[in-house]
Amino acid sequence: GWHDQQPVTGAVDVALSRLKLDARDFELDGRKPISLTFSALLAPPHGKSGKLVWRGVVGLYPVSAQGQVNAQRLPLQAFKPYVADRLNIDILRADASFKGRVNYAQQSAGPHLHINGDARIEQLRTTSNPGSATANDAPPPNEASVQTAPATPALDSGAAVSGVLGEDLLNWQQLRVAGLDLRLDPGHAPQVAVNDTQLSNFYARIIVHPNGRINLQDLVKTSASAPAASAAASVAPDAPVIHFGPTRLVNGEVSFGDHFIRPNYSADLTALNGSLGAFNTVANPQAPQMADLQLTGLAQNTAQLAINGKLNPLAKPLALDIAAKVTGLDLPPLSPYSVKYSGHGIERGKLSMNVTYKIAPDGQLSATNKLVLNQLQFGQQVPGASASLPVTLATTLLADRNGVINLDLPISGSLNDPQFSLGPIILKAIFNLIGKAITAPFSLLAHALGGGSGQDMSQVPFAPGSAQLSEAARAQLDKIALAVAARPQIKLTVIGTAPIEDERPALKRERLNALVAAERRPDEASADTAATDAAAPDATAINTAVPDEATQPASGTSAAATTVEAETAQAASAPARAASAASADEYPQLLRRLYRRANIPGKPRNALGMIRDAPVAQMESLLLAHITVTEDDLRQLAAQRTAAVQGYLTTHGLNADRVFIGTANPGVAASNAQPSAEPASNAASAAASAVTPHVELQLSAR
């Protein structure tokens, strides 16, 4: 029997039975190696016994051993008090087996050890120590977990049972390591090579604690005063050189719990099967060797999981470049995240996704996530939730006519951040997108149409002073009509704008252009503009409307002139205005006719008092100065723009009962100041082109 009371965590009790010992060539001084054969059964006070067999030679001065070892199911848990004070886990059972050669020699420079053979650890059962960093932290009162933890494998009949158990942490039926080769030589880094590994029927519980750390990071206790190692730190010169051959995973299960969020979230990955190719540690962390990874399984017992790519789990930090696919994941269990980021739980819906993840040597993660949300439906607002988003409007905007939402979400982060957690980051990105239903609903609509979330179609642009829809505006409205028509729960409101200070010069220019075009005589009109000229004031009407200059007061604009402006403004707003506008060649002549007949003061005259011709710019300046634009004129322009947009939408796929008109606001300043697409022909229009007037569109749920 072996009884050791020195360990502070408890005594070690081991019994040897069926002991057989055969020693030959034994000398009392111990200088000569002894030929030794040894076998025995080794058993703890409670549990099954294992068998140990040694055949070889042993030296005492110096200590050495060379020979064959055959160990079968040695109960490692019997020796846990020797290491328990350095671990945050409790080893309930671990049966170790090894068959191979051992060569050990104590040298003046240090020990030499060479082990090669096949090893197994079977029936491993570990739990988190109650109260340790790996133990599950209970949620505060009234914050119970939304989903209970999955059932864990039953205790083996031979497992040791302590008074108070933590949660199952890491269990497996068998870990088989074939072709193990371990070398320790003085002055050299340890070397470990494994030809082949298989892990069968395993279970792991992964917990994200409220402080953001993962429980598996704290299996071994560390000194509180020890400096934290950087994930990007270079490899130490005496770090082990490890070569791993292919690894196979058979019938695994992972239980994930996130206690970083309240209420807690938990999920199961089951039926995990796959393989990892050969990999090793390298001296250059900028180029770690990557092993091929293939893994399949089930998420929440229903969703198909497939992971493919390359991985090196020994790189610092973790190196990977993988693609993963999940099909048909039920979303209601993700309600803790949706409540946190949107204020609403999830009542139904399924998630499918194709994702790629790549971790650079500096620990930076870059990922693409192509997500498909099918029949996503949120519940009512959760009282007291920290967020409140218009999820109904957002999901209606994002979903197609079949209730399917397609998202493309790039994600980045650093593994050096202790609070980095991939699941919450993905969910947060989704709900950040949903949050745009408040600030930029048309951005969501553009996203649903494949135009990217950065495209905003809420403003229909117009040329300054004009109520005519451009080709670009018509193309934009075609997309909107198509998208809104496919979403019956959405209604559209059209609000016209005409900023007073921005639009006044442009509207004056539009009226001047109409007056100039009206000066064209019937015999000068081309065949394609004859019909449109009928909409503009004819020369006779203008001559009648503009009184002789001698009968007018020295200042002000005549009532007749105002009448002319009104008639010309009506012509300018007609659809045929652009076609009937004066060409560049005829514009100076028509402008001169208007200028000579217009009753405005300040015209240059010759010595005889007759009107003298002036440059085009001077004639335009004098005429524009005597064209009046009132706030009513701008309000009318805003209303005309509203009518143009509404009319286009209702004639291109939208029912009139889904398109509403808001109150036009001529006093709203243009919000997207940028150069106009039309060239400025004078100083007034150049100033007006500094902004792009528009009609505002608003979306809301019906």
Side-chain angles (χ1 to χ4, degrees), residues 435-516:
K436 290 187 177 181
I438 298 176
T439 58
F442 274 92
S443 178
L444 292 186
L445 195 64
H447 193 289
L449 292 173
S453 59
Q455 182 181 358
D456 187 3
M457 298 190 294
S458 64
Q459 297 181 353
V460 182
F462 285 85
S466 172
Q468 304 301 311
L469 290 170
S470 65
E471 289 300 322
R474 292 171 185 267
Q476 175 181 335
L477 291 176
D478 286 338
K479 292 182 180 179
I480 293 174
L482 180 64
V484 175
R487 294 162 175 81
Q489 299 303 317
I490 293 297
K491 63 182 180 181
L492 190 64
T493 302
V494 184
I495 303 175
T497 63
I500 296 175
E501 298 305 323
D502 295 334
E503 295 262 43
R504 194 187 303 275
L507 191 52
K508 284 186 177 184
R509 163 58 61 176
E510 289 291 309
R511 291 191 173 182
L512 177 59
N513 290 339
L515 285 166
V516 171

Side-chain angles (χ1 to χ4, degrees), residues 209-223:
H209 290 295
N211 63 0
R213 287 186 63 82
I214 298 175
N215 61 334
L216 298 184
Q217 294 177 276
D218 300 315
L219 296 183
V220 179
K221 294 180 180 179
T222 57
S223 173

Side-chain angles (χ1 to χ4, degrees), residues 194-235:
V194 175
N195 289 341
D196 182 80
T197 305
Q198 179 170 307
L199 180 61
S200 304
N201 299 314
F202 62 92
Y203 167 86
R205 178 161 177 77
I206 300 176
I207 301 173
V208 180
H209 290 295
N211 63 0
R213 287 186 63 82
I214 298 175
N215 61 334
L216 298 184
Q217 294 177 276
D218 300 315
L219 296 183
V220 179
K221 294 180 180 179
T222 57
S223 173
S225 60
S230 170
S234 59
V235 178

